[in-house]
Each structure stands twice: as C-alpha cells, then as structure tokens.
Amino acid sequence: MAAIVTVILITVSCTSLASALSVNYYENTCPQVESIVAGAVHKATLNDKTVPAALLRMHFHDCFIRGCDASVLVESKGKNKAEKDGPANISLHAFYVIDNAKKALEAVCPGVVSCADILALAARDAITLSGGPTWDVPKGRKDGKISKASETRQLPAPTFNISQLQQSFSQRGLSLEDLVALSGGHTLGFAHCSSFQNRIHSFSPKHDIDPSVNPSFASSLKRICPSHNTVKNAGAPLDSSSTLFDNAYYKLLLQGKSIFSSDQALLTHPHTKALVSKFAYSQKEFEMAFVKSMIKMSSITNGGQEVRLNCKFVR
Ligand code: HEM
Ligand SMILES: *[C@@H]1O[C@H](CO)[C@@H](O)[C@H](O)[C@H]1NC(C)=O
Ligand SMILES: *[C@@H]1O[C@H](CO)[C@@H](O)[C@H](O)[C@H]1NC(C)=O
C-alpha cells in the first residue's frame, strides 16, 4: 500500500515538475542565461531598431502554435515545410538574434537552455529595451519536435472580428483582458500593405474605405498603399512611435487610427472598449496588464520534449 502511494506521489510530482515553469529554473545549471540573452538582444538592437518588434511577434507566433516550444524557429527540411515558411510569416525576421544567444549559451552551459526559453527572455528584453516594463520570466520550457507551415493558419488574422479574436484567445486560455493588453504589442513595429489592404480598397459593396477608419488617416494609408502597389515592402508603422513601448496604440485606436480591422474590433464590445479606454488613459495600467498577460501567454506549454542544440533543427 505504502509503495503504491509512493509511486503515485512520484508520478504526480514528476508530471507537475515537467510542466511547471519557474523563475529560478537555470539558477544552478546556467546562471548566465539572463545576461547572455539580454546582451544578444541589446547588441542586435543597436544595429537594427526593428529587432525588438520582430522578437515580440516571433514569441507570440511561437506561443499560439503548439504552445511556446520554439516551433517558429525550425527550418523547413526535406518534405517538411516549417512554420517559418507558412502563410502569416510575413515580417518575421531577426532569427539570428536567437541563434547568437544560443551559440553563446552552448559555449558556457551546453545542452541546457531551451530555444523556447531564449525566445521568451528575448521578447521580455525587447520590451524593456524599448522603454517598457521589465519582469521575471518563468523558465523551463522544452523545445518541440514538430513545426508545420499549415498550422500557421491557426493564428488570428488581421481581418478577424471581436468574436473570432475572442475564440482564438480563449482556445489558448486567454481572456478578453489578455486580448486587449496583448494587442498593445502593436505599439511596436510595422505592417505591410497586404495586412490592411482590405480596409482601404473595396472594403464593402457600399464603402471603398472602412468607415471606422479616420478619413485623413485612411488617405495617408492609401497614399502609401495604392491599389496597384509596386513598391516592395511598402507599409505603415503600427503606431506613431513604433520603436517605443508606450500606450499611443490605444490613444490612436480611439481616434480610428489603428492599422488592422482586428485592432479596430476591440472597440466593438463594451468590455474590450472599456479596457482600451483604460489603457489609453493610463500607461501604468497598460504596463501592469501587459506584463500579466505576457506571462500568461508565454506560459502556454504543450509539453515540448527536448532542448535543441541548434534552434533551427530538432534533434
Ligand atoms: C490579436 C490578434 C493579432 C493579430 C490579428 C495580429 C496581426 C498582425 C499582423 C497582420 C502584423 C503585420 C505583419 C506584416 O504585415 O508585416 C502584425 C505585426 C506585429 N504584431 Fe500582431 N497580431 C495580433 C496580436 C499580436 C500580439 C498578441 C502581439 C505580441 C504581444 C503582437 C505583436 C506584433 C508586433 C510586435 C508586430 C510588428 C512586427 C514587426 O514589425 O516586425 N501581435 N500583427
Ligand atoms: C516565408 O515563406 C516564404 C515562402 O515559403 C519564404 O520564401 C520566406 O523565406 C519565408 N520568410 C521567412 C521570414 O522565413
Ligand atoms: C464574426 O465573423 C464570423 C465569421 O465571418 C461571423 O459568423 C460572426 O457573426 C461575426 N461576429 C461579429 C460580432 O461580427
């Protein structure tokens, strides 16, 4: 009887140990992890101001497909087309930052730090470097062995309405509050014309332009993105201060100056609209909510299996 109880206890504790993340996870096995990742993000950002936005979006895509398991980092190989080469990969870049951090970590603590943890840390560092808050990142994620281009269809689309967004987030255990706070990630970065073309050309049978877009803002977007766009990589910044982590995104949203239909959709439900107003009014409230929701999103794990040696390839 005692033996059976012991076996059950061990089984239970192992299962929870395998899935529970902790802030001190690498305390004994790789105490340099935080400074090495922060160093790599800092160095890259000095050379390229678009790096923080890229790392944040990369982490979001990672966590929304198979949990935060570094599936977004895997290269296509043989017949397997990886997430990287799937639809919605537009604008994913700066993978080299993760690779540089991984190389530096392999030199001091080989085979210890997962690529999924590196990406979670890098996303936090990206926010902090952009003038945003900082927080302790729970660690202990494992890297997954599967990455499929077709699964990027599970990501929310910029044309989504509020019920589609709510569904996409709730399937991952995220609430409407998480949706509004994390959409604030659009305070950083850039969108290509193709991601918001629907709002400024042939929007509906009645309206060429989405009537919820501020008219002068719509005109400026149309100038950047004419219907027969010939400029490669044309697009618009996601807010007026797109390398600064601030609450301008929410202020502009209330003025009809958001880029995606999915941003605008946050105003179509009383609960989410109230949160947008709260975050537009208070940078502090936004930061507190953002940190809470980032920790929640970055703790979605579906049980990766390994620590990769090279973030591009499963072992
Ligand atoms: C709510 C659902 C979301 C939708 C529909 C969405 C959609 C998009 C789209 C279409 C782009 C532009 C891609 C391009 O044209 O280059 C983009 C960019 C971006 N998104 Fe989101 N997103 C969502 C949520 C999030 C979340 C949760 C985060 C992070 C917390 C995030 C962070 C970013 C960042 C930082 C960029 C700029 C990337 C860069 O400049 O490299 N997004 N998003
Ligand atoms: C996105 O996918 C296309 C098509 O498979 C590919 O050519 C491109 O290199 C990918 N972009 C990134 C950032 O991996
Ligand atoms: C959102 O879009 C879906 C799919 O097109 C539709 O079924 C649903 O009624 C829409 N919801 C709202 C609130 O507009």
Side-chain angles (χ1 to χ4, degrees):
M1 184 61 193
I4 294 173
V5 171
T6 312
V7 168
I8 291 172
L9 279 179
I10 289 172
T11 314
V12 168
S13 63
C14 283
T15 324
S16 54
L17 271 183
S19 56
L21 304 178
S22 80
V23 168
N24 304 322
Y25 190 80
Y26 295 114
E27 195 170 44
N28 300 317
T29 53
C30 196
Q32 308 94 317
V33 62
E34 303 259 345
S35 63
I36 287 177
V37 175
V41 176
H42 185 68
K43 189 173 169 208
T45 303
L46 287 177
N47 287 321
D48 178 357
K49 292 239 174 302
T50 73
V51 161
L55 293 172
L56 179 58
R57 179 157 152 93
M58 204 186 286
H59 183 49
F60 158 56
H61 280 209
D62 187 27
C63 295
F64 263 54
I65 301 170
R66 296 185 170 271
C68 318
D69 68 345
S71 54
V72 71
L73 303 177
V74 172
E75 294 278 300
S76 298
K77 201 179 160 195
K79 275 192 183 154
N80 187 59
K81 219 174 148 204
E83 283 173 34
K84 240 183 213 180
D85 291 321
N89 76 349
I90 184 167
S91 97
L92 285 181
H93 66 289
F95 292 100
Y96 73 90
V97 183
I98 305 302
D99 292 330
N100 287 349
K102 179 63 170 171
K103 245 178 239 152
L105 285 166
E106 287 304 301
V108 292
C109 18
V112 170
V113 183
S114 67
C115 297
D117 278 346
I118 296 173
L119 183 48
L121 287 166
R124 186 273 317 270
D125 294 336
I127 302 294
T128 313
L129 268 179
S130 306
T134 192
W135 65 94
D136 286 334
V137 175
K139 296 166 285 286
R141 296 165 192 78
K142 287 284 192 295
D143 299 326
K145 286 175 165 288
I146 297 171
S147 175
K148 290 187 187 301
S150 58
E151 293 182 350
T152 57
R153 279 183 234 290
Q154 297 163 17
L155 290 164
T159 50
F160 270 16
N161 65 31
I162 191 67
S163 32
Q164 294 169 304
L165 289 168
Q166 177 169 27
Q167 190 188 8
S168 167
F169 275 61
S170 75
Q171 280 166 352
R172 293 158 175 94
L174 300 171
S175 65
L176 282 178
E177 170 138 16
D178 296 319
L179 167 64
V180 178
L182 291 170
S183 293
H186 291 162
T187 179
L188 296 180
F190 176 86
H192 294 83
C193 296
S194 57
S195 300
F196 55 88
Q197 203 77 1
N198 70 305
R199 304 185 77 193
I200 53 171
H201 301 288
S202 321
F203 175 71
S204 70
K206 271 203 197 130
H207 300 278
D208 183 44
I209 298 175
D210 178 346
S212 66
V213 186
N214 171 292
S216 66
F217 186 66
S219 306
S220 71
L221 292 180
K222 282 190 94 140
R223 271 195 301 277
I224 305 170
C225 307
S227 53
H228 297 289
N229 184 19
T230 51
V231 183
K232 205 174 161 250
N233 286 327
L238 288 174
D239 86 357
S240 53
S241 48
S242 63
T243 58
L244 189 66
F245 189 90
D246 61 8
N247 64 344
Y249 163 81
Y250 298 101
K251 293 181 181 165
L252 294 167
L253 179 50
L254 289 173
Q255 298 166 27
K257 297 177 183 171
S258 66
I259 297 291
F260 307 129
S261 300
S262 57
D263 299 314
Q264 181 67 34
L266 302 177
L267 300 179
T268 62
H269 182 290
H271 182 62
T272 52
K273 186 177 182 183
L275 289 165
V276 169
S277 300
K278 180 160 93 170
F279 299 155
Y281 181 74
S282 167
Q283 165 101 11
K284 187 92 208 126
E285 292 282 357
F286 166 45
E287 289 187 355
M288 282 174 1
F290 185 80
V291 167
K292 196 172 141 209
S293 297
M294 275 295 281
I295 292 173
K296 228 167 125 182
M297 179 178 82
S298 82
S299 302
I300 304 172
T301 52
N302 294 348
Q305 297 88 5
E306 62 178 17
V307 171
R308 269 177 228 152
L309 299 178
N310 177 333
C311 295
K312 294 185 168 122
F313 305 108
V314 302
R315 290 173 81 169

